[in-house]
Amino acid sequence: AQAKQIDVPGTVSETLGLSPDGNMNAMRVGATVDGQWVSKGIQVVDTRTGQLVFDFAESSATEPAWSLDSTRLAFVANLASGEYSGTTIKGMYSDVFYVDFMSKTHAIVNVTETSRFSKIPAPLTELGGISVYNPIWSPDSKAIASIWHQDDGEAIWVTSVNGNDWARLVGGTG
C-alpha cells in the first residue's frame, strides 16, 4: 500500500524521523483544523519504494524514535482504558511502545507499562497517573530510556524491550 492521505483538508506531517540506515521514515500525521494541529497517528514509509510500512492510527502517538539498527521504532502513546493494562482510565498513563519491523505482524509492544507503578489504583481516581516522554534506544537496541513524570517529580528510567527489567537511574523534584 502507498502512504495514504487522511481525509481531512490540510493534511500535513510533523516530526519527520528518518531511520539511521535511511530506508524508512516515521512521521506523525494529522491536519491543521481551525488553526490547531490535530494528530491522527504515526505512519512509517519505505523511502526506497514509497510504500506504507506501518500505520498506527492513534491520535496520542508521538515522539517516534528509531533503534540504531533501524529495525525498531519506539513511540509514546496514551493508554486507552483497558487496552494494554487491564484497568486504566483513558489518558491517565502514557507509555513507551515499540514496533519491530523484522517481525511479519508488526505487533505493538508496551515496554514501560507505567500503570503497574502507580501509587493510586487507576480505577479509583484520575490522579496519580504517570506520563512518559523522550524515548531513546540503548546502543544495542535491548533497552529504552525515557523520562517519567509523576506528581512528585520526574525520573529517568531504563526498561528492557521485553518489559521485564527496569531501573530508575535518577530522579527527584524540580
Side-chain angles (χ1 to χ4, degrees), residues 70-88:
S70 300
T71 62
R72 295 176 178 163
L73 181 73
F75 56 90
V76 174
N78 288 333
L79 289 173
S81 179
E83 187 172 354
Y84 293 102
S85 66
T87 55
T88 60

Side-chain angles (χ1 to χ4, degrees), residues 6-166:
I6 297 171
D7 293 11
V8 178
T11 299
V12 294
S13 65
E14 175 190 81
T15 315
L16 298 178
L18 196 61
S19 62
D21 66 7
N23 291 332
M24 290 191 278
N25 192 15
M27 65 198 92
R28 280 184 63 203
V29 293
T32 302
V33 178
D34 297 328
Q36 296 286 328
W37 169 260
V38 178
S39 177
K40 299 294 181 185
I42 293 176
Q43 289 185 346
V44 176
V45 176
D46 186 313
T47 59
R48 298 158 296 184
T49 65
Q51 297 291 307
L52 181 66
V53 177
F54 177 71
D55 184 16
F56 185 61
E58 166 55 53
S59 63
S60 70
T62 187
E63 301 185 38
W66 286 102
S67 61
L68 293 178
D69 64 3
S70 300
T71 62
R72 295 176 178 163
L73 181 73
F75 56 90
V76 174
N78 288 333
L79 289 173
S81 179
E83 187 172 354
Y84 293 102
S85 66
T87 55
T88 60
I89 297 169
K90 184 167 179 60
M92 183 172 175
Y93 301 96
S94 64
D95 274 304
V96 173
F97 297 83
Y98 80 87
V99 60
D100 186 345
F101 292 103
M102 298 303 286
S103 76
K104 292 182 181 182
T105 62
H106 295 163
I108 296 167
V109 178
N110 183 337
V111 176
T112 53
E113 295 183 33
T114 55
S115 61
R116 66 184 163 182
F117 294 99
S118 179
K119 296 174 189 165
I120 302 170
L124 302 180
T125 179
E126 291 191 27
L127 302 174
I130 301 171
S131 296
V132 180
Y133 54 96
N134 291 349
I136 187 166
W137 287 89
S138 64
D140 64 3
S141 300
K142 292 182 180 178
I144 300 173
S146 55
I147 298 172
W148 294 33
H149 175 80
Q150 219 172 352
D151 290 338
D152 59 352
E154 292 184 335
I156 298 174
W157 286 75
V158 175
T159 311
S160 63
V161 293
N162 64 15
N164 292 334
D165 300 307
W166 57 89

